[in-house]
mmCIF file of all heavy atoms in Angstrom:
data_model
loop_
_atom_site.group_PDB
_atom_site.id
_atom_site.type_symbol
_atom_site.label_atom_id
_atom_site.label_comp_id
_atom_site.label_asym_id
_atom_site.label_seq_id
_atom_site.Cartn_x
_atom_site.Cartn_y
_atom_site.Cartn_z
ATOM 1 N N ALA C 1 -19.173 -25.287 59.963
ATOM 2 C CA ALA C 1 -17.985 -24.568 60.406
ATOM 3 C C ALA C 1 -18.219 -23.835 61.730
ATOM 4 O O ALA C 1 -17.280 -23.628 62.506
ATOM 5 C CB ALA C 1 -17.551 -23.556 59.340
ATOM 6 N N ALA C 2 -19.467 -23.458 62.004
ATOM 7 C CA ALA C 2 -19.766 -22.724 63.240
ATOM 8 C C ALA C 2 -19.792 -23.635 64.456
ATOM 9 O O ALA C 2 -19.653 -23.170 65.598
ATOM 10 C CB ALA C 2 -21.112 -22.011 63.113
ATOM 11 N N GLY C 3 -19.955 -24.937 64.257
ATOM 12 C CA GLY C 3 -20.033 -25.856 65.387
ATOM 13 C C GLY C 3 -21.437 -25.938 65.958
ATOM 14 O O GLY C 3 -22.382 -25.334 65.441
ATOM 15 N N ASP C 4 -21.561 -26.692 67.031
ATOM 16 C CA ASP C 4 -22.872 -26.883 67.657
ATOM 17 C C ASP C 4 -23.383 -25.602 68.318
ATOM 18 O O ASP C 4 -22.612 -24.827 68.881
ATOM 19 C CB ASP C 4 -22.811 -27.997 68.702
ATOM 20 C CG ASP C 4 -22.513 -29.358 68.083
ATOM 21 O OD1 ASP C 4 -22.867 -29.542 66.900
ATOM 22 O OD2 ASP C 4 -21.925 -30.211 68.779
ATOM 23 N N ALA C 5 -24.690 -25.404 68.234
ATOM 24 C CA ALA C 5 -25.332 -24.270 68.900
ATOM 25 C C ALA C 5 -25.670 -24.652 70.340
ATOM 26 O O ALA C 5 -26.205 -25.733 70.598
ATOM 27 C CB ALA C 5 -26.601 -23.863 68.154
ATOM 28 N N THR C 6 -25.346 -23.757 71.269
ATOM 29 C CA THR C 6 -25.614 -23.993 72.683
ATOM 30 C C THR C 6 -26.505 -22.895 73.215
ATOM 31 O O THR C 6 -26.152 -21.712 73.170
ATOM 32 C CB THR C 6 -24.303 -24.029 73.492
ATOM 33 O OG1 THR C 6 -23.434 -25.032 72.967
ATOM 34 C CG2 THR C 6 -24.592 -24.335 74.957
ATOM 35 N N ASP C 7 -27.691 -23.266 73.707
ATOM 36 C CA ASP C 7 -28.623 -22.308 74.305
ATOM 37 C C ASP C 7 -28.314 -22.157 75.789
ATOM 38 O O ASP C 7 -28.186 -23.147 76.511
ATOM 39 C CB ASP C 7 -30.061 -22.767 74.115
ATOM 40 C CG ASP C 7 -30.456 -22.833 72.637
ATOM 41 O OD1 ASP C 7 -29.854 -22.092 71.846
ATOM 42 O OD2 ASP C 7 -31.351 -23.631 72.305
ATOM 43 N N SER C 8 -28.206 -20.917 76.242
ATOM 44 C CA SER C 8 -27.852 -20.653 77.635
ATOM 45 C C SER C 8 -28.708 -19.529 78.195
ATOM 46 O O SER C 8 -29.226 -18.681 77.462
ATOM 47 C CB SER C 8 -26.372 -20.269 77.760
ATOM 48 O OG SER C 8 -25.519 -21.286 77.281
ATOM 49 N N THR C 9 -28.830 -19.534 79.501
ATOM 50 C CA THR C 9 -29.449 -18.413 80.189
ATOM 51 C C THR C 9 -28.502 -17.232 80.132
ATOM 52 O O THR C 9 -27.296 -17.394 80.374
ATOM 53 C CB THR C 9 -29.736 -18.774 81.662
ATOM 54 O OG1 THR C 9 -30.678 -19.849 81.695
ATOM 55 C CG2 THR C 9 -30.299 -17.590 82.421
ATOM 56 N N PRO C 10 -28.969 -16.054 79.774
ATOM 57 C CA PRO C 10 -28.088 -14.884 79.747
ATOM 58 C C PRO C 10 -27.338 -14.720 81.066
ATOM 59 O O PRO C 10 -27.923 -14.817 82.143
ATOM 60 C CB PRO C 10 -29.049 -13.715 79.499
ATOM 61 C CG PRO C 10 -30.186 -14.337 78.753
ATOM 62 C CD PRO C 10 -30.333 -15.714 79.318
ATOM 63 N N GLY C 11 -26.035 -14.520 80.953
ATOM 64 C CA GLY C 11 -25.212 -14.352 82.143
ATOM 65 C C GLY C 11 -24.575 -15.631 82.649
ATOM 66 O O GLY C 11 -23.807 -15.599 83.616
ATOM 67 N N SER C 12 -24.883 -16.777 82.015
ATOM 68 C CA SER C 12 -24.296 -18.050 82.450
ATOM 69 C C SER C 12 -23.601 -18.721 81.271
ATOM 70 O O SER C 12 -23.912 -18.462 80.110
ATOM 71 C CB SER C 12 -25.373 -18.979 83.011
ATOM 72 O OG SER C 12 -26.314 -19.341 81.999
ATOM 73 N N ASN C 13 -22.659 -19.587 81.587
ATOM 74 C CA ASN C 13 -21.918 -20.357 80.569
ATOM 75 C C ASN C 13 -21.251 -19.477 79.524
ATOM 76 O O ASN C 13 -21.123 -19.855 78.364
ATOM 77 C CB ASN C 13 -22.849 -21.361 79.868
ATOM 78 C CG ASN C 13 -23.477 -22.345 80.826
ATOM 79 O OD1 ASN C 13 -22.839 -22.795 81.784
ATOM 80 N ND2 ASN C 13 -24.731 -22.690 80.596
ATOM 81 N N GLY C 14 -20.817 -18.306 79.938
ATOM 82 C CA GLY C 14 -20.127 -17.407 79.018
ATOM 83 C C GLY C 14 -21.029 -16.549 78.170
ATOM 84 O O GLY C 14 -20.539 -15.734 77.378
ATOM 85 N N ALA C 15 -22.349 -16.721 78.275
ATOM 86 C CA ALA C 15 -23.285 -15.899 77.500
ATOM 87 C C ALA C 15 -23.352 -14.491 78.076
ATOM 88 O O ALA C 15 -23.137 -14.279 79.277
ATOM 89 C CB ALA C 15 -24.663 -16.533 77.488
ATOM 90 N N GLY C 16 -23.656 -13.534 77.222
ATOM 91 C CA GLY C 16 -23.778 -12.164 77.679
ATOM 92 C C GLY C 16 -25.054 -11.932 78.470
ATOM 93 O O GLY C 16 -25.880 -12.835 78.647
ATOM 94 N N THR C 17 -25.227 -10.732 78.924
ATOM 95 C CA THR C 17 -26.430 -10.360 79.663
ATOM 96 C C THR C 17 -27.283 -9.433 78.803
ATOM 97 O O THR C 17 -26.809 -8.852 77.829
ATOM 98 C CB THR C 17 -26.075 -9.640 80.978
ATOM 99 O OG1 THR C 17 -25.269 -8.487 80.686
ATOM 100 C CG2 THR C 17 -25.318 -10.576 81.911
ATOM 101 N N LEU C 18 -28.571 -9.312 79.161
ATOM 102 C CA LEU C 18 -29.501 -8.468 78.421
ATOM 103 C C LEU C 18 -29.640 -7.113 79.107
ATOM 104 O O LEU C 18 -29.678 -7.028 80.338
ATOM 105 C CB LEU C 18 -30.870 -9.143 78.323
ATOM 106 C CG LEU C 18 -30.905 -10.525 77.636
ATOM 107 C CD1 LEU C 18 -32.338 -11.028 77.548
ATOM 108 C CD2 LEU C 18 -30.280 -10.463 76.252
ATOM 109 N N GLN C 19 -29.709 -6.071 78.275
ATOM 110 C CA GLN C 19 -29.894 -4.725 78.794
ATOM 111 C C GLN C 19 -31.188 -4.166 78.211
ATOM 112 O O GLN C 19 -31.252 -3.849 77.014
ATOM 113 C CB GLN C 19 -28.701 -3.841 78.413
ATOM 114 C CG GLN C 19 -27.353 -4.348 78.886
ATOM 115 C CD GLN C 19 -27.231 -4.349 80.399
ATOM 116 O OE1 GLN C 19 -27.724 -3.431 81.066
ATOM 117 N NE2 GLN C 19 -26.582 -5.360 80.938
ATOM 118 N N GLN C 20 -32.221 -4.084 79.031
ATOM 119 C CA GLN C 20 -33.502 -3.570 78.560
ATOM 120 C C GLN C 20 -33.409 -2.063 78.322
ATOM 121 O O GLN C 20 -32.784 -1.330 79.094
ATOM 122 C CB GLN C 20 -34.609 -3.865 79.570
ATOM 123 C CG GLN C 20 -36.003 -3.478 79.082
ATOM 124 C CD GLN C 20 -37.091 -3.836 80.096
ATOM 125 O OE1 GLN C 20 -36.811 -4.072 81.268
ATOM 126 N NE2 GLN C 20 -38.333 -3.878 79.644
ATOM 127 N N GLY C 21 -34.044 -1.617 77.229
ATOM 128 C CA GLY C 21 -34.020 -0.196 76.912
ATOM 129 C C GLY C 21 -32.785 0.229 76.146
ATOM 130 O O GLY C 21 -32.518 1.434 76.001
ATOM 131 N N TYR C 22 -32.033 -0.746 75.605
ATOM 132 C CA TYR C 22 -30.820 -0.438 74.845
ATOM 133 C C TYR C 22 -30.816 -1.230 73.540
ATOM 134 O O TYR C 22 -31.408 -2.304 73.452
ATOM 135 C CB TYR C 22 -29.557 -0.800 75.635
ATOM 136 C CG TYR C 22 -29.268 0.117 76.799
ATOM 137 C CD1 TYR C 22 -29.902 -0.062 78.031
ATOM 138 C CD2 TYR C 22 -28.356 1.160 76.669
ATOM 139 C CE1 TYR C 22 -29.626 0.772 79.101
ATOM 140 C CE2 TYR C 22 -28.070 2.004 77.740
ATOM 141 C CZ TYR C 22 -28.713 1.807 78.939
ATOM 142 O OH TYR C 22 -28.441 2.637 80.007
ATOM 143 N N LEU C 23 -30.144 -0.692 72.529
ATOM 144 C CA LEU C 23 -29.919 -1.398 71.273
ATOM 145 C C LEU C 23 -28.428 -1.368 70.968
ATOM 146 O O LEU C 23 -27.760 -0.346 71.179
ATOM 147 C CB LEU C 23 -30.684 -0.756 70.115
ATOM 148 C CG LEU C 23 -32.178 -1.047 70.019
ATOM 149 C CD1 LEU C 23 -32.779 -0.295 68.835
ATOM 150 C CD2 LEU C 23 -32.458 -2.539 69.883
ATOM 151 N N GLU C 24 -27.923 -2.482 70.453
ATOM 152 C CA GLU C 24 -26.514 -2.533 70.062
ATOM 153 C C GLU C 24 -26.350 -1.863 68.705
ATOM 154 O O GLU C 24 -27.071 -2.174 67.749
ATOM 155 C CB GLU C 24 -26.033 -3.978 69.980
ATOM 156 C CG GLU C 24 -24.558 -4.103 69.644
ATOM 157 C CD GLU C 24 -24.098 -5.549 69.552
ATOM 158 O OE1 GLU C 24 -24.938 -6.451 69.672
ATOM 159 O OE2 GLU C 24 -22.886 -5.767 69.340
ATOM 160 N N THR C 25 -25.422 -0.945 68.597
ATOM 161 C CA THR C 25 -25.181 -0.255 67.342
ATOM 162 C C THR C 25 -24.191 -1.045 66.493
ATOM 163 O O THR C 25 -23.596 -2.030 66.935
ATOM 164 C CB THR C 25 -24.623 1.155 67.589
ATOM 165 O OG1 THR C 25 -23.375 1.052 68.288
ATOM 166 C CG2 THR C 25 -25.589 1.980 68.438
ATOM 167 N N SER C 26 -24.013 -0.603 65.263
ATOM 168 C CA SER C 26 -23.046 -1.238 64.356
ATOM 169 C C SER C 26 -21.641 -1.105 64.935
ATOM 170 O O SER C 26 -21.294 -0.090 65.564
ATOM 171 C CB SER C 26 -23.114 -0.576 62.971
ATOM 172 O OG SER C 26 -22.056 -1.013 62.154
ATOM 173 N N ASN C 27 -20.823 -2.133 64.741
ATOM 174 C CA ASN C 27 -19.443 -2.079 65.245
ATOM 175 C C ASN C 27 -18.462 -1.562 64.194
ATOM 176 O O ASN C 27 -17.246 -1.645 64.372
ATOM 177 C CB ASN C 27 -18.994 -3.453 65.741
ATOM 178 C CG ASN C 27 -18.794 -4.468 64.627
ATOM 179 O OD1 ASN C 27 -19.203 -4.247 63.485
ATOM 180 N ND2 ASN C 27 -18.185 -5.582 64.958
ATOM 181 N N VAL C 28 -18.984 -1.005 63.105
ATOM 182 C CA VAL C 28 -18.130 -0.468 62.040
ATOM 183 C C VAL C 28 -17.546 0.876 62.488
ATOM 184 O O VAL C 28 -18.278 1.776 62.916
ATOM 185 C CB VAL C 28 -18.933 -0.286 60.731
ATOM 186 C CG1 VAL C 28 -18.100 0.456 59.690
ATOM 187 C CG2 VAL C 28 -19.365 -1.638 60.195
ATOM 188 N N ASP C 29 -16.226 1.002 62.378
ATOM 189 C CA ASP C 29 -15.551 2.268 62.649
ATOM 190 C C ASP C 29 -15.293 2.950 61.296
ATOM 191 O O ASP C 29 -14.419 2.522 60.533
ATOM 192 C CB ASP C 29 -14.222 2.017 63.369
ATOM 193 C CG ASP C 29 -13.477 3.298 63.690
ATOM 194 O OD1 ASP C 29 -14.006 4.390 63.381
ATOM 195 O OD2 ASP C 29 -12.370 3.210 64.250
ATOM 196 N N PRO C 30 -16.054 4.000 60.959
ATOM 197 C CA PRO C 30 -15.905 4.628 59.638
ATOM 198 C C PRO C 30 -14.491 5.107 59.354
ATOM 199 O O PRO C 30 -14.026 5.025 58.206
ATOM 200 C CB PRO C 30 -16.901 5.791 59.696
ATOM 201 C CG PRO C 30 -17.904 5.394 60.723
ATOM 202 C CD PRO C 30 -17.139 4.625 61.744
ATOM 203 N N VAL C 31 -13.779 5.600 60.367
ATOM 204 C CA VAL C 31 -12.421 6.095 60.146
ATOM 205 C C VAL C 31 -11.502 4.953 59.708
ATOM 206 O O VAL C 31 -10.743 5.072 58.742
ATOM 207 C CB VAL C 31 -11.881 6.766 61.422
ATOM 208 C CG1 VAL C 31 -10.416 7.165 61.226
ATOM 209 C CG2 VAL C 31 -12.712 8.002 61.773
ATOM 210 N N THR C 32 -11.582 3.814 60.427
ATOM 211 C CA THR C 32 -10.763 2.664 60.065
ATOM 212 C C THR C 32 -11.091 2.158 58.674
ATOM 213 O O THR C 32 -10.194 1.814 57.888
ATOM 214 C CB THR C 32 -10.977 1.536 61.085
ATOM 215 O OG1 THR C 32 -10.611 1.997 62.392
ATOM 216 C CG2 THR C 32 -10.138 0.312 60.743
ATOM 217 N N GLU C 33 -12.380 2.126 58.344
ATOM 218 C CA GLU C 33 -12.795 1.651 57.028
ATOM 219 C C GLU C 33 -12.303 2.575 55.919
ATOM 220 O O GLU C 33 -11.869 2.112 54.856
ATOM 221 C CB GLU C 33 -14.322 1.528 56.962
ATOM 222 C CG GLU C 33 -14.919 0.479 57.893
ATOM 223 C CD GLU C 33 -14.479 -0.932 57.550
ATOM 224 O OE1 GLU C 33 -14.253 -1.242 56.364
ATOM 225 O OE2 GLU C 33 -14.359 -1.741 58.500
ATOM 226 N N LEU C 34 -12.341 3.887 56.160
ATOM 227 C CA LEU C 34 -11.876 4.838 55.150
ATOM 228 C C LEU C 34 -10.368 4.721 54.933
ATOM 229 O O LEU C 34 -9.878 4.809 53.800
ATOM 230 C CB LEU C 34 -12.252 6.263 55.556
ATOM 231 C CG LEU C 34 -13.728 6.622 55.418
ATOM 232 C CD1 LEU C 34 -14.006 7.995 56.014
ATOM 233 C CD2 LEU C 34 -14.149 6.595 53.957
ATOM 234 N N VAL C 35 -9.614 4.521 56.027
ATOM 235 C CA VAL C 35 -8.166 4.340 55.892
ATOM 236 C C VAL C 35 -7.872 3.071 55.094
ATOM 237 O O VAL C 35 -7.003 3.052 54.213
ATOM 238 C CB VAL C 35 -7.508 4.277 57.291
ATOM 239 C CG1 VAL C 35 -6.052 3.843 57.168
ATOM 240 C CG2 VAL C 35 -7.590 5.630 57.977
ATOM 241 N N THR C 36 -8.598 2.002 55.408
ATOM 242 C CA THR C 36 -8.413 0.741 54.674
ATOM 243 C C THR C 36 -8.794 0.913 53.212
ATOM 244 O O THR C 36 -8.142 0.357 52.316
ATOM 245 C CB THR C 36 -9.272 -0.373 55.310
ATOM 246 O OG1 THR C 36 -8.943 -0.500 56.691
ATOM 247 C CG2 THR C 36 -9.005 -1.701 54.630
ATOM 248 N N LEU C 37 -9.837 1.692 52.955
ATOM 249 C CA LEU C 37 -10.258 1.942 51.573
ATOM 250 C C LEU C 37 -9.181 2.683 50.795
ATOM 251 O O LEU C 37 -8.892 2.354 49.636
ATOM 252 C CB LEU C 37 -11.570 2.734 51.574
ATOM 253 C CG LEU C 37 -12.151 3.093 50.203
ATOM 254 C CD1 LEU C 37 -12.455 1.839 49.395
ATOM 255 C CD2 LEU C 37 -13.411 3.936 50.373
ATOM 256 N N ILE C 38 -8.556 3.676 51.423
ATOM 257 C CA ILE C 38 -7.486 4.429 50.769
ATOM 258 C C ILE C 38 -6.304 3.515 50.453
ATOM 259 O O ILE C 38 -5.741 3.542 49.350
ATOM 260 C CB ILE C 38 -7.047 5.617 51.646
ATOM 261 C CG1 ILE C 38 -8.169 6.655 51.739
ATOM 262 C CG2 ILE C 38 -5.774 6.252 51.098
ATOM 263 C CD1 ILE C 38 -7.900 7.755 52.736
ATOM 264 N N LYS C 39 -5.909 2.680 51.418
ATOM 265 C CA LYS C 39 -4.799 1.748 51.197
ATOM 266 C C LYS C 39 -5.139 0.771 50.064
ATOM 267 O O LYS C 39 -4.271 0.445 49.238
ATOM 268 C CB LYS C 39 -4.508 0.977 52.483
ATOM 269 C CG LYS C 39 -3.908 1.836 53.583
ATOM 270 C CD LYS C 39 -3.904 1.098 54.912
ATOM 271 C CE LYS C 39 -3.134 -0.189 54.863
ATOM 272 N NZ LYS C 39 -3.154 -0.896 56.177
ATOM 273 N N THR C 40 -6.383 0.333 50.026
ATOM 274 C CA THR C 40 -6.797 -0.598 48.969
ATOM 275 C C THR C 40 -6.755 0.066 47.612
ATOM 276 O O THR C 40 -6.330 -0.536 46.600
ATOM 277 C CB THR C 40 -8.212 -1.131 49.260
ATOM 278 O OG1 THR C 40 -8.243 -1.715 50.569
ATOM 279 C CG2 THR C 40 -8.620 -2.186 48.245
#
């Protein structure tokens, strides 16, 4: 379902770039999740 995997140089062919000295945090928004939990 995911389709073929394509390896690319960062910054080319639509791939993102690398940021040294950084970590990506979770994309969960606790407020949105709590509102959804209440509705559920």
Side-chain angles (χ1 to χ4, degrees):
D4 295 333
T6 303
D7 297 333
S8 301
T9 297
S12 64
N13 301 323
T17 57
L18 301 183
Q19 303 294 322
Q20 186 178 17
Y22 288 83
L23 283 178
E24 183 181 4
T25 61
S26 171
N27 70 347
V28 172
D29 181 2
V31 175
T32 301
E33 295 296 328
L34 286 173
V35 170
T36 304
L37 180 60
I38 292 172
K39 291 169 59 180
T40 305

